Amino acid sequence: MHEVLQQAASSATAMGPTILLQGMEIKRPIDMVKATALSTDDKRTILASWASDFYAVDSKPAFRHMPGTPEPISIDEVQAALKELDRRYGY
């Protein structure tokens, strides 16, 4: 039973903020900025998470792969989306 709970917790951690993306067409970080179904705070949370080392690609530390997205994205692209979010919403 302990192993099952540990596996469930691990799965939930891996999903993280991607649970907010269910049913959305998010392929690139800029798609997150343009998403109308999410609040600015949710967008920032997801983009910051996407930029974190948690989603770093093994042997390619400059790339991140968020579950539910089609391919790894450079950290520079994620950071550019965060800057665009700041520009659009005055942070």
Side-chain angles (χ1 to χ4, degrees):
M1 182 64 157
H2 177 70
E3 188 175 314
V4 171
L5 290 174
Q6 204 169 25
Q7 192 173 26
S10 179
S11 293
T13 301
M15 284 296 291
T18 60
I19 197 75
L20 296 170
L21 302 179
Q22 289 183 345
M24 297 179 68
E25 285 283 326
I26 303 293
K27 296 180 181 177
R28 312 219 54 96
I30 196 65
D31 297 334
M32 181 64 56
V33 174
K34 296 175 184 176
T36 58
L38 297 171
S39 71
T40 303
D41 288 339
D42 286 343
K43 292 175 187 183
R44 178 172 303 292
T45 297
I46 293 167
L47 287 169
S49 178
W50 201 339
S52 75
D53 288 343
F54 186 81
Y55 294 111
V57 177
D58 288 340
S59 301
K60 294 182 181 181
F63 287 86
R64 304 293 187 266
H65 193 201
M66 177 80 78
T69 60
E71 62 189 10
I73 303 295
S74 76
I75 186 67
D76 294 337
E77 189 173 341
V78 180
Q79 290 174 335
L82 278 164
K83 286 179 185 176
E84 179 61 16
L85 189 69
D86 287 347
R87 187 190 70 75
R88 287 185 186 197
Y89 298 101
Y91 282 93

